[in-house]
Amino acid sequence: TYLGGMWSVSLNDTIQMGMIIVGLVAVLIEVIYKFGFTEIITATPPEYFHLTPGVHGEMRDWLLYIAALMTLGLGSIPQQDVYQRSMSAKSADVAKWAAITGGLLYFTITMIPLFLGLTAKIVHPELMSPDSDSQMLLPTLILQNISFPTQVLFFGRGHIIMFRLP
């Protein structure tokens, strides 16, 4: 930022996010090809698709839901980088449409890891037991079911050696 200004920051972010999206899409394509989109969705229990705790949700469930909504849903709005990009846009119209486009991309791109999580939960249910590490769900799915070139796109070369499972 010191040498290149906001242009260097936005260019770096664009390249970095582009590589992340390429890796996610590559894994998604391979997972859909191997396991099938419809098969994963139909194997998922219907309650996984409820967005709120519902009418029968307890107070604790609703408080957790509201806390997550405030943190994840509304928490990124006041971040410094959002203001920096809005204030440095060419015009108010560009800032408005960039924010709308970014929000739509954020919403759609986020669905990829959610689908991969559903797939991992169905393919590797043993990792959901209380005595196992559920954080290894996605790495296990990718390391055991995805080709090496796609693993490189997703993890990066150094991480694959570190995560290599027996």
Side-chain angles (χ1 to χ4, degrees):
T1 305
Y2 177 72
L3 296 175
M6 281 303 293
W7 174 250
S8 66
V9 172
S10 62
L11 188 62
N12 180 48
D13 288 350
T14 301
I15 293 169
Q16 185 177 16
M17 291 308 295
M19 292 304 296
I20 290 170
I21 291 170
V22 165
L24 278 172
V25 169
V27 169
L28 177 68
I29 290 169
E30 204 164 321
V31 162
I32 288 174
Y33 179 75
K34 187 167 188 174
F35 300 109
F37 181 81
T38 309
E39 289 79 3
I40 297 299
I41 297 299
T42 54
T44 303
E47 61 268 10
Y48 276 49
F49 298 109
H50 295 167
L51 297 179
T52 65
V55 180
H56 303 293
E58 296 178 16
M59 178 63 105
R60 180 179 184 278
D61 298 332
W62 275 103
L63 289 174
L64 287 171
Y65 174 77
I66 292 169
L69 179 65
M70 288 172 39
T71 305
L72 302 172
L74 304 175
S76 65
I77 293 173
Q79 287 182 349
Q80 179 184 7
D81 58 334
V82 174
Y83 285 120
Q84 285 176 339
R85 284 165 180 79
S86 296
M87 297 302 170
S88 65
K90 185 168 47 174
S91 67
D93 201 42
V94 169
K96 176 182 82 174
W97 285 108
I100 291 170
T101 304
L104 291 172
L105 284 172
Y106 188 79
F107 181 73
T108 55
I109 299 299
T110 332
M111 294 298 159
I112 297 173
L114 292 175
F115 179 76
L116 295 176
L118 284 177
T119 305
K121 186 175 169 98
I122 290 167
V123 174
H124 297 287
E126 70 279 1
L127 292 175
M128 295 305 295
S129 67
D131 54 329
S132 66
D133 186 8
S134 61
Q135 290 186 9
M136 289 304 293
L137 199 61
L138 194 55
T140 302
L141 171 75
I142 293 169
L143 289 171
Q144 291 185 359
N145 300 290
I146 303 299
S147 68
F148 186 74
T150 307
Q151 289 177 13
V152 171
L153 281 175
F154 185 80
F155 289 120
R157 180 72 172 120
H159 298 294
I160 292 174
I161 296 167
M162 181 179 73
F163 279 125
R164 185 57 70 184
L165 299 175

